[in-house]
Structure formats: C-alpha cells, structure tokens
Amino acid sequence: MSNSTPNPSLILLSPLTPPSLERTWLTAPHPTLPIVATCSTDKTVRIYSLTNFTLLSTITGGHKRSVRTAAWKPHITGESVLATGSFDATVGIWRRWDTYGQTSTAAETSLNEDTEEVDDEEWRFAVLLDGHDSEVKSVSWSPSGMLLATCARDKSIWIWEDLDDGDNNFETVAVMQEHSGDVKCVSWHPVEECLASGGYDDTIRLWREDLDDWGQVACIKKHEGTVWFIDWEGTDNTPSTSTTTAPDVDAETIQGQWREQRVLSGPRLISCSDDRTVRVWRRLPKEGINGINSSATTGIPSIIRPTGSDENWEEDAILPHAHELAIYAVAWSRKTGLVASVGADGRIVIYEERFVQSGAPAAAVTAEGESEAMDVDRPLKTEWVIVSVLDGAHGIYEINHAAWAKRADRGVSEDGKDEEVLITTADDGSVKVWTFQR
C-alpha cells in the first residue's frame, strides 16, 4: 500500500431498523435482490431492504423455537425461495413472488409513516422438512439449487432434493452421520456438488456423491476446537497485486499464472474455530479428481477402487491471530477476495491476501531487454495481512455472523449499485451494514 493511501477502515452505513428485541443469529443476503433475511430467537425471520435499511416483512408462524439459519435458493426468476432451519428440529421452505422492486417504494413509505410491518401475507409457507432429531444449525443450497443440505445437533447431515414438481415436494437423498458431535455448519462448493461441513468434533469433512450414494471423501482434523463456520473462495478470486515485487510482470500476468497453477485444485475453503484461528484449505490435485483414474477412463467401478474417491486437503494458510475468543463466522468476498471474521470478542477483522516476493521474478528479463518465458511450475507465494480491526462493533455483544452483500441504492449510478457491504449480526438483536474504505 502506498504512503498516500489512508488506513483502511470499516464505516458504519446503517443498522437495520427496527431490530429484533432478541438475539439474532445470521443474516442471509439475497442472491439478486437488495434484500436480506435475518434469523432471530423470537421465532421469526425479518426481511430488510438494503436500499434504505428498513424492515419490509416479518415471516412468522412456521417455527416453534429460534430460527437459527436461512439460505436463499439460487437461479430462480420471478420468485424468491427461502429455506429456514430452527431449534424445533425442522426446516421450512418459504416462497414469495418478487415484487419488492416494484412495490418497495410504497412499502417503505408505509413503513416509515406508521412503523407497521408490511407484506407479511405475501410470504407463503410451502413445506416443512421433518427428519432431524434436534436443533437445526445450518442450511445450504447447492450451486444448481436442486439440493438442500441441512445439519443439526443430532450429529447428522441430510441432503434433500427439490423435485420442482409444482407441489413443493422434497425427497431425502442422503443422511450422513460420520460427525461425532453437533454439526455446526454446511456449505456447498460454488460450482461443484461437493459439500463441506464442520462441527463440535473439531473436524471439517467433505462429501460427494458416487454411484448414487453420498459419502465422505476427506476429513480435516487440524483445528483444536469446534469448527463454527466455513465458507468458499470465489471462483475468479486472485490475491492482491498491490505489493508484488515482480516489477517486470504486470498484475494481469501474475493473476493469470496464479489461476493456471490453481485450476486443478479449484476454490479453497476457509474455516474458523473455537481455537481462535482462521484457516484456509486447498485440495491437492489427484488422479481420481481429474478423471485420470475415474471409472469412465478405467472401466472399473469406483466401489472397487479403494482410494479413488478420496481427496487430500492441505492447510494453505493460517491467518494472522486477531481474536481473543471463539471465532463464530468467517466470510470470503466473491468480489474483492477480502475475508471478514467475527466472534465472541465483538471484534470485526478484515484480512487481505497479497502476492509476495518468492526469489526471482515470475518472468526474467534478458540483458537485451527481452522477456523470457515465465516459469509456470514455480508456485507464486502469498501472505495474509490484517487490513482493518474494529473493536466493540456491536457494543458489548458477541457477533454471531458476517456476510458480504451487494448494495443497491435508489438514485445512484450503476457503479454505486455494485457497491459491496459487510453485514454483521449480533446477540443484542442488532444487524449492522458496513462499507470497507481504503
């Protein structure tokens, strides 16, 4: 960073109002609309606008205990579908025709005038998924939107298929019970049907389907405490080139080399834990993963190949220590590559991954001034640095969740509509929207 650049900082744009009067667990940004869903101990889900930060709807009546988690189904036009998980051991599916864009102004005007909640009746309770024996802790939709993963205190992970038959029918396709404790989180790979989970047994586990049967393909055991949350890297992410020390190679060349070296591994996984660490994991390229030893190539059914479906994941990095208590959530921006972590100490920490000098430049320049071919076999090195720390972001309260989201403002330019914000969710019921400024 140049000396002329001010210190990066988190700027509070606004709290979401009115807040819940009880603990809020998680805020889920909508994939396409400027709205978010917030889960609360008061058994409701609140839908807020990111346009003016006010309440649009309150979803009630579906759950009998705290709503712990929520996730929006991707790739739907004209309708929004929200999955919710509750301490009552059930998962709810809610639907609403997308009229926020057309009616938000009127709704927000009504809200501002009399503080009444609006549009409640437009959310339709579609179906209740019943199978877990205890509190549901996390829900996640697959990249295609056809599979829903749920996990619970009963140590199990369920995968449900949305039959998309017009009757809101879901079918159970797998129940995995390899975790030896409360499963805290599930998250789908951004492009593959690969599921990651973390839990009270201090492990991260990876799951894939093979011959119509879901099974564990990897188990990571490096954390020394409960794995509270996991998130995936964006498919187009590259580290920052602002501090690279390869002056003879431009940023685009370095980023291209990085992508080429990482293409077989795919997006990395990030995790946070009760052990107060944030760690990044990378899948090692393997014959079975790349198809060299697949059943299609060898003609041998995978059930006969004892290690054909196993994956090796290595620790790519441990981020700099920044939290004094358990880290409850970590969020990896798909747009900027920045990582945010929050937890029991009430602190928000922002990290950035940067290229660093690794000996000779990635492309050497001859005495005649001609650039030699880049050595693509020599891996580029990176380091993670803390770029911003904010203490007491929600006063004295623990922060349960953080998520990056796109913000859309009325009356601003197209550039403004693509502004990214960070949303944090806390024990006192407050949800705050922040912007990161360099």
Side-chain angles (χ1 to χ4, degrees), residues 244-267:
T244 182
T245 52
D248 300 315
V249 184
D250 61 19
E252 187 175 336
T253 302
I254 295 175
Q255 291 168 347
Q257 181 184 354
W258 171 269
R259 292 191 184 98
E260 185 175 347
Q261 290 178 349
R262 297 279 175 146
V263 65
L264 294 180
S265 296

Side-chain angles (χ1 to χ4, degrees), residues 187-213:
S187 181
W188 289 97
H189 189 287
V191 292
E192 301 173 13
E193 285 195 348
C194 170
L195 182 69
S197 62
Y200 190 75
D201 60 5
D202 306 348
T203 69
I204 301 167
R205 298 172 189 258
L206 284 302
W207 314 84
R208 288 183 187 269
E209 185 181 26
D210 192 12
L211 295 180
D212 298 324
D213 187 21

Side-chain angles (χ1 to χ4, degrees), residues 19 30-31 40 70 92 104 155 180 198 202 213 255 257 259 266 270-271 276 301 304 307 316 318 329 340 382 429 433:
H30 193 284
S40 176
S104 60
K155 308 177 186 177
S180 60
D202 306 348
D213 187 21
Q255 291 168 347
Q257 181 184 354
R259 292 191 184 98
I270 197 166
S271 60
R276 297 173 291 171
I304 301 174
T307 61
D316 198 60
I318 300 178
T382 66
V433 183

